[in-house]
Amino acid sequence: MKRLCYAMALALALLCDLGWAAAGPIVDTAFVADAAKRGAILWDVRNAQEYGEGHLPGAVSIGDAAQMLRDPNTEDFISTDKIEKILGSAGIDPAREIVVYGNRGAWNAYLGLYAMQYFGGTHAHVYHGGIDDWQADGKAISTEAARLPPISLKLSTNGSVAVSTEQVIAQLKNPNVQIIDVRTPGEFRSEDIRAIRGGHIPGAINIPYEMNWVDPETPMKLAKKQVANSSGMSLKPADQLQALYANLDPSKETIVYCQSGARASETAGVLQQLGFKRVKVYDSSWLGYAGKLSAPANNETFFNVGALNGRLTAMQRRIEQLESKLAASKAAK
């Protein structure tokens, strides 16, 4: 059954004259250029500084979308009425055709795609290559801020693309549900604890979201100046992505989670592209799951606040020592 589903998805992509991008939400430069011509909304989800330095002509911005639309503590969406005002003031209507983009490979754009789908959008796309691909393909950028007429929005949520903590717990033993943890192996194994406790949801399969890229180590290589650009963060070809998720069943409900739903949104978009029909983002993700102490977890380890305070104290002392040495050095001169 799995092989048949994958074969059908691949066949549809090959038969489509628009190429593989037309088979799902992830689109390429040619698609974006055509979408702009037919009046689609281009939404730049990067921060205001990046937007001001250059963006796709006609693209609108609300600033850093991940910060604007999510609560800084829970990292879930803020109240719907506030989102209505933020998106409405920028003229971003989920009911219209929308192309969301950021930097190449960044999860921010996929979070924007998920937001559009969550608030009822059915014509939303994500430009994985973002402004980097746009420029690499020789397209012009603009530094002139674009604005759409403000609109009055009344949004409703689409439960078919999301799942709550209670729903996840209820599905733990359901053989027709599969769960993907897209965090790092260290987070999955509870070696890197970023919530009240570490571990993972029982039955979850760990496939870090960076595995969707041509070279998952690109961010590290960029930091070490081992590569010149982010081209390694381009998506793998369709056949390699299918191989990556070959042990999953596209016909089953697929729950994707990470720390706060951000990284999960990228893998969710890729799975939709591959023909998975029942993909749900667990937006609260490990932050929400770990916070519900009655929820069962594998590799469970509780966060050691005392040890953290000890490390912070030692770090503060070291900073004070360095500042003292620096002051003494300046005084000696």
Side-chain angles (χ1 to χ4, degrees):
M1 181 65 180
K2 291 182 186 178
R3 294 182 181 276
L4 177 59
C5 290
Y6 279 123
M8 289 175 64
L10 183 58
L12 286 172
L14 292 173
L15 287 172
C16 183
D17 290 337
L18 291 176
W20 103 290
I26 304 174
V27 295
D28 59 13
T29 302
F31 184 101
V32 178
D34 288 341
K37 291 177 182 177
R38 60 177 175 263
I41 296 173
L42 305 183
W43 178 18
D44 187 319
V45 298
R46 300 173 301 155
N47 62 47
Q49 179 178 339
E50 290 178 302
Y51 177 80
E53 291 172 351
H55 51 267
L56 273 61
V60 297
S61 170
I62 61 170
D64 187 327
Q67 290 187 4
M68 292 296 294
L69 301 181
R70 301 196 302 167
D71 182 280
N73 294 315
T74 66
E75 298 190 54
D76 291 333
F77 285 127
I78 57 178
S79 63
T80 301
D81 62 324
K82 291 181 180 178
I83 290 179
E84 289 170 345
K85 293 178 181 178
I86 293 171
L87 296 180
S89 65
I92 299 174
D93 184 354
R96 289 182 54 184
E97 181 181 18
I98 295 178
V99 177
V100 190
Y101 79 91
N103 294 314
R104 180 189 287 127
W107 52 259
N108 309 60
Y110 286 87
L111 183 66
L113 170 69
Y114 169 62
M116 293 298 93
Q117 294 174 340
Y118 181 69
F119 289 109
T122 58
H123 304 290
H125 302 280
V126 62
Y127 183 22
H128 180 95
I131 192 165
D132 302 284
D133 270 12
W134 184 263
Q135 291 182 284
D137 290 338
K139 299 290 187 179
I141 62 171
S142 172
T143 56
E144 182 179 348
R147 287 180 172 79
L148 294 173
I151 55 175
S152 178
L153 288 177
K154 191 63 180 176
L155 301 175
S156 58
T157 58
N158 176 12
S160 70
V161 300
V163 65
S164 67
T165 299
E166 290 70 23
Q167 289 170 327
V168 170
I169 295 172
Q171 299 281 30
L172 289 181
K173 296 182 180 180
N174 187 339
N176 294 313
V177 175
Q178 53 201 359
I179 303 175
I180 306 175
D181 184 323
V182 309
R183 298 175 300 162
T184 65
E187 291 173 272
F188 185 78
R189 293 193 297 260
S190 200
E191 297 165 358
D192 179 4
I193 304 175
R194 306 185 187 185
I196 193 171
R197 56 178 173 152
H200 61 265
I201 297 174
I205 300 170
N206 184 215
I207 306 177
Y209 89 108
E210 297 97 333
M211 296 301 294
N212 296 312
W213 304 339
V214 170
D215 182 3
E217 297 183 352
T218 297
M220 178 192 69
K221 291 180 179 178
L222 281 169
K224 294 182 177 181
K225 298 183 179 180
Q226 295 174 345
V227 294
N229 55 54
S230 64
S231 59
M233 293 168 68
S234 300
L235 276 183
K236 288 177 176 174
D239 59 340
Q240 292 182 27
L241 289 172
Q242 287 171 336
L244 180 63
Y245 299 103
N247 290 328
L248 297 170
D249 187 342
S251 67
K252 288 185 176 182
E253 179 177 316
T254 306
I255 296 173
V256 191
Y257 79 96
C258 56
Q259 171 75 0
S260 65
R263 289 172 285 175
S265 64
E266 181 155 332
T267 290
V270 170
L271 293 175
Q272 292 173 21
Q273 187 81 2
L274 292 175
F276 284 66
K277 301 299 182 185
R278 302 165 63 198
V279 181
K280 296 185 177 183
V281 172
Y282 177 22
D283 195 8
S284 294
S285 278
W286 188 250
L287 272 177
Y289 195 91
K292 190 173 183 63
L293 299 183
S294 61
N298 288 354
N299 293 84
E300 181 182 56
T301 303
F302 280 86
F303 185 76
N304 190 329
V305 178
L308 174 63
N309 286 336
R311 290 195 293 271
L312 290 174
T313 299
M315 185 181 298
Q316 181 61 39
R317 287 173 181 168
R318 180 58 178 160
I319 292 172
E320 290 172 354
Q321 290 172 356
L322 291 173
E323 288 177 340
S324 178
K325 289 180 179 180
L326 180 61
S329 175
K330 288 181 177 179
K333 292 179 179 180

